[in-house]
Amino acid sequence: MQNGGEQLAQQVPAMVGAEPDGREARERLVGGKGAVALLVTAGACLLPFLCLAFYAHPYLDDFVFPATVRQHGVWQHVATTYGQWSGRFSSSLVTALHPLAWGGLGAYQPFVFGLILFFAASVAFAGWNLLGGGGVPARVRLAAGSLFLVPFLLLLPSPTEAFYWATSALAYTLATACCLVLLGALARLASAERAGARAVWWALALMVAALAPGFSEIIGCFVLALLLVLAPQIWQRRLAGAPLALLLLAVGAAAVATLAPGNFARQAASLHPHLPLGRSLGLAAVALGYSLYGWLANGFVILLTLLVLPALQRLAGRAQLPLVRLARWVWVWPTWLFLGLLLCYVFSYVAVGTPPPSRARNVLVAFFLVGWLMSWVGLLAHRQRRGLAPLPTLPAYGRAALLALLGLLIASDHNSKLKREAVGTPTNSVAQAYRDWLSGDAARYDREEEARYQLIRSTPAKSVEIQPLRVKPETLFWWDISTNPTLWGNRAYAAFFNKQAIWTAPAPPGKPNKR
């Protein structure tokens, strides 16, 4: 792969013409103002999620698996889960990081804040390294990840499961962060020259490739898709050596996770319908089409792509950039993206008879955005290698109009029927997060949860009835315990507080206790 990249780096400048040197070239590469605007936008999108971290509280599963780790140790937890429940060995392993496994309720909010920061840092790490080794200004390299982070936060299907439900965040968001770190490590390998540095990045890449498929079947499906897409290159020995070993390691890890005895035991006890393969394929195709429609029809991704298209074209002309080297086989990224998404949906329908849950769709959005952006880079680089004219770009007033339209799409309530109750209703995850934060709903929810803890701790009785939550911010709240003290969630909640039973009082008439 490195030799091919070096040859490409030598050939492409001659095809597209030499670029001017010095500050003028750097400014032309990706305008400095555009990079700053991307950074500011990403910061504005990230801010409410970070602030809401300090109002987060654990949910049902958060009281179950960390307790198992406390009682039996992490390795016993991994072995038991792998043999009886799930093959997600990495997800079981990182349960040891859960704040309730090593700390208490006071550690939960700082942990959520740190996890969101780590995810944002993994995005920045990938973007920074994809533009390394090509003389790209630091602010542009820093802003590169924003092109992923902004639409990801806007399109996020379930921020609660992505960030504030720690069990889900460790299994899915941390998995996504690991994949971004792997992408950044591969980018460093495409530009690192010193043997010592390459050894470090290879070690990181191998470790992440072995762990990432163990988080979720979603990642395993994308690993399988990559193997299928690259099979012709492997057969022709255009992909060999260490890169092939890295891919096969990920394939092996995915097989270990998928073929776990716990998966088969769980399926045998499952009440979900098992659909025939043909029907699963049909339903998966329809669900995938609808998902793609939803991700693109709101305009966020398309407008951002049009706005940065001039910058992407200039970057695509620099063959020495890892971004361009990793996209040099123009058909790989779009084929991998479509096949990976299809496999994920087929697997979900075959396994449980439904589309992937919202926490898994969080991961799918991340893979979609990476595949989308890399596909555009590959296409633009391919056109330049063939000597084709650059795609036309919008004039300054056109870009200003697109920026204004993007802002309207983000802020608008899309209330075309002018219904009074729909005025100001958020239409994306970022707007909803701001509403939950600035309206005071998050603070009121936090006070209600803290009042519950105080009541439970101050009550000497072993059975405690608590009031149902009155405020349930959409970004923060996932699920509550029920009025039935014998359900598993209630039992785990009671055990955490060293009580025999805890339940919620029935909701007042006309105000059902539901999410």
Side-chain angles (χ1 to χ4, degrees):
M1 291 180 71
Q2 186 182 8
N3 291 337
E6 292 173 352
Q7 293 173 2
L8 199 59
Q10 295 171 0
Q11 295 170 1
V12 172
M15 298 179 184
V16 301
E19 297 186 11
D21 295 326
R23 180 176 178 179
E24 180 184 356
R26 293 194 296 271
E27 292 296 329
R28 284 181 55 192
L29 183 64
V30 183
K33 293 181 179 179
V36 173
L38 265 177
L39 284 170
V40 171
T41 304
C45 289
L46 188 63
L47 177 63
F49 295 104
L50 288 171
C51 292
L52 287 174
F54 294 103
Y55 304 105
H57 290 273
Y59 309 104
L60 303 183
D61 291 47
D62 290 324
F63 296 101
V64 179
F65 299 117
T68 304
V69 172
R70 277 182 178 271
Q71 294 172 8
H72 305 291
V74 64
W75 298 114
Q76 182 61 42
H77 171 63
V78 172
T80 302
T81 303
Y82 187 83
Q84 300 178 10
W85 184 250
S86 170
R88 302 170 186 171
F89 57 88
S90 297
S91 179
S92 300
L93 184 64
V94 298
T95 305
L97 301 178
H98 196 291
L100 300 191
W102 50 265
L105 292 172
Y108 195 85
Q109 293 171 356
F111 173 83
V112 171
F113 182 83
L115 185 64
I116 298 174
L117 275 184
F118 177 76
F119 177 77
S122 70
V123 174
F125 175 80
W128 177 273
N129 288 307
L130 283 169
L131 298 185
V136 179
R139 64 178 175 276
V140 176
R141 295 179 64 185
L142 189 61
S146 302
L147 191 55
F148 166 90
L149 188 61
V150 170
F152 176 78
L153 294 176
L154 288 168
L155 297 176
L156 198 57
S158 176
T160 314
E161 294 172 282
F163 301 131
Y164 306 109
W165 177 18
T167 298
S168 172
L170 285 170
Y172 292 92
T173 304
L174 185 59
T176 306
C178 286
C179 293
L180 291 167
V181 169
L182 178 58
L183 180 60
L186 292 175
R188 287 301 296 260
L189 286 168
S191 60
E193 297 180 356
R194 293 187 296 108
R198 293 184 64 81
V200 171
W201 294 116
W202 270 120
L204 177 61
L206 290 168
M207 180 181 70
V208 177
L211 290 175
F215 280 100
S216 168
E217 295 83 4
I218 295 294
I219 297 176
C221 287
F222 276 99
V223 169
L224 175 59
L226 186 60
L227 176 66
L228 295 174
V229 170
L230 292 178
Q233 308 302 312
I234 298 172
W235 179 261
Q236 299 169 12
R237 297 191 177 182
R238 298 178 63 188
L239 182 66
L244 177 58
L246 185 70
L247 174 59
L248 294 179
L249 175 63
V251 171
V256 169
T258 304
L259 300 176
N263 289 337
F264 296 98
R266 189 177 183 181
Q267 278 293 304
S270 175
L271 299 178
H272 292 291
H274 295 280
L275 302 178
L277 180 59
R279 188 179 179 190
S280 295
L281 285 170
L283 291 172
V286 173
L288 173 56
Y290 188 74
S291 295
L292 291 172
Y293 168 77
W295 295 334
L296 294 173
N298 55 59
F300 299 148
V301 175
I302 293 175
L303 285 176
L304 279 171
T305 304
L306 290 174
L307 285 168
V308 301
L309 188 61
L312 290 180
Q313 289 199 116
R314 289 189 285 270
L315 289 170
R318 295 199 167 196
Q320 72 274 28
L321 289 177
L323 176 73
V324 180
R325 291 187 178 189
L326 291 175
R328 69 182 183 275
W329 291 332
V330 64
W331 47 269
V332 166
W333 285 96
T335 308
W336 167 78
L337 175 60
F338 180 79
L339 182 59
L341 289 171
L342 182 61
L343 288 175
C344 289
Y345 279 86
V346 171
F347 182 89
S348 182
Y349 274 104
V350 169
V352 296
T354 64
S358 51
R359 52 189 173 272
R361 293 198 298 273
N362 290 339
V363 182
L364 292 179
V365 169
F367 275 88
F368 165 71
L369 291 171
V370 171
W372 171 270
L373 293 171
M374 293 299 293
S375 295
W376 274 103
V377 172
L379 174 63
L380 296 171
H382 176 71
R383 289 177 56 86
Q384 294 196 33
R385 288 196 298 271
R386 295 186 61 187
L388 300 176
L391 295 176
T393 56
L394 292 171
Y397 64 84
R399 292 195 296 273
L402 285 184
L403 277 172
L405 179 58
L406 182 61
L408 288 174
L409 285 174
I410 293 173
S412 172
D413 54 20
H414 298 185
N415 184 17
S416 58
K417 295 184 178 180
L418 301 181
K419 293 182 177 180
R420 182 182 297 274
E421 65 273 13
V423 173
T425 301
T427 55
N428 58 79
S429 296
V430 172
Q432 183 66 54
Y434 268 110
R435 181 175 184 173
D436 290 336
W437 173 35
L438 298 178
S439 68
D441 282 353
R444 287 187 284 271
Y445 164 72
D446 178 52
R447 288 194 293 269
E448 286 192 46
E449 289 281 21
E450 292 293 343
R452 279 182 167 187
Y453 303 153
Q454 180 62 30
L455 173 65
I456 294 170
R457 288 166 175 158
S458 61
T459 302
K462 287 296 184 179
S463 298
V464 184
E465 180 183 80
I466 58 178
Q467 293 301 310
L469 295 169
R470 293 175 296 174
V471 181
K472 301 174 181 179
E474 185 172 331
T475 308
L476 283 174
F477 180 78
W478 178 240
W479 210 259
D480 196 9
I481 61 171
S482 72
T483 57
N484 184 353
T486 65
L487 293 181
W488 68 268
N490 290 59
R491 296 200 307 269
Y493 191 81
F496 178 83
F497 289 101
N498 197 27
K499 300 291 184 180
Q500 292 179 356
I502 300 178
W503 64 95
T504 58
K511 295 182 179 179
N513 184 22
K514 64 180 181 179
R515 187 166 184 260

